Amino acid sequence: MKNITDSFLCFIYWPSAGSFGFDTDILATNLINLSVVLGVLIFFGKGVLSDLLDNRKQRILRTIRNSEELREAAVEQLEKARARLRKVETEADRFRVNGYSEIEREKLNLINSIYTTLEQFENYKNETIYFEQQRAINQVQQRVLQQALQGALGTLNSCLNNELHLRTIGANMDMFGAMKITD
């Protein structure tokens, strides 16, 4: 707080004709500057963020489509396995006397392997979707942060002028005067 009051005192005792300086203390800047910067960031960053999210959405949708294709392949395998199962069942009826227990064991192994395969495909799909979502979130966060910082620096550098500094100094002097009166 001492730095803020020192900077105000410097402005009060400086002669107003011909003196100008930059206030580098970020705590002494006013809220109007911050709101302008945030407004510019939102205005210019909205399109970039929208494009990034649309691209990421398309990638996620492709990943989901690929996972669905894998699931459909697993369903086709399941149908083939069911057809094989029906074939095995008809053979079991013919050879029931000779190897009933062997055929039942084969049938159970086939069903178990199919369900295991389906569970693996489902787990793979879920892991892929989760991984892609996390990667997308991280990429979007990094890009938004970089662009926000670049935009803020560009906006700050382009918006700094004499009139803005004089208004800021005047407003700070008014606030200091109000604080001095209340003390």
Side-chain angles (χ1 to χ4, degrees):
M1 191 66 177
K2 181 155 178 41
N3 285 341
I4 293 172
T5 57
D6 289 344
S7 65
F8 284 129
L9 291 174
C10 287
F11 286 127
I12 290 172
Y13 293 113
W14 280 7
S16 61
S19 294
F20 181 77
F22 288 103
D23 185 6
T24 58
D25 186 4
I26 193 138
L27 295 175
T29 60
N30 64 21
L31 294 176
I32 295 171
N33 289 339
L34 293 176
S35 64
V36 169
V37 169
L38 288 175
V40 169
L41 283 175
I42 290 169
F43 179 76
F44 289 111
K46 181 173 52 172
V48 173
L49 181 61
S50 176
D51 290 344
L52 288 172
L53 290 175
D54 286 342
N55 290 341
R56 194 65 215 136
K57 180 182 176 183
Q58 293 301 322
R59 286 187 195 136
I60 289 171
L61 288 175
R62 277 194 300 258
T63 302
I64 289 171
R65 272 189 244 120
N66 290 342
S67 297
E68 287 297 325
E69 289 173 6
L70 288 172
R71 188 188 63 78
E72 289 174 9
V75 168
E76 286 179 15
Q77 287 180 351
L78 178 62
E79 290 301 321
K80 288 178 184 177
R82 285 181 180 164
R84 262 182 63 200
L85 179 62
R86 286 190 290 272
K87 182 180 176 183
V88 167
E89 286 175 344
T90 57
E91 288 177 11
D93 287 339
R94 278 189 260 145
F95 301 108
R96 192 172 303 268
V97 175
N98 295 334
Y100 184 79
S101 64
E102 181 67 29
I103 292 172
E104 283 298 314
R105 217 171 326 161
E106 184 179 331
K107 182 173 84 172
L108 290 175
N109 288 340
L110 181 62
I111 290 170
N112 289 337
S113 69
I114 290 169
Y115 283 121
T116 303
T117 303
L118 284 175
E119 287 176 2
Q120 289 172 347
F121 279 125
E122 187 68 27
N123 290 340
Y124 175 75
K125 179 185 84 170
N126 292 337
E127 289 174 4
T128 302
I129 290 170
Y130 178 76
F131 173 76
E132 288 297 322
Q133 287 174 341
Q134 291 302 315
R135 191 170 70 172
I137 290 169
N138 289 338
Q139 287 175 351
V140 167
Q141 287 174 344
Q142 288 175 357
R143 285 184 184 170
V144 166
L145 180 62
Q146 287 174 345
Q147 290 173 355
L149 288 174
Q150 290 172 354
L153 287 174
T155 303
L156 285 174
N157 288 334
S158 68
C159 290
L160 294 176
N161 59 29
N162 288 340
E163 181 184 344
L164 179 62
H165 280 287
L166 289 176
R167 286 192 315 198
T168 303
I169 290 168
N172 287 336
M173 288 175 63
D174 290 342
M175 286 189 321
F176 180 69
M179 288 178 16
K180 190 80 163 171
I181 290 170
T182 58
D183 287 341

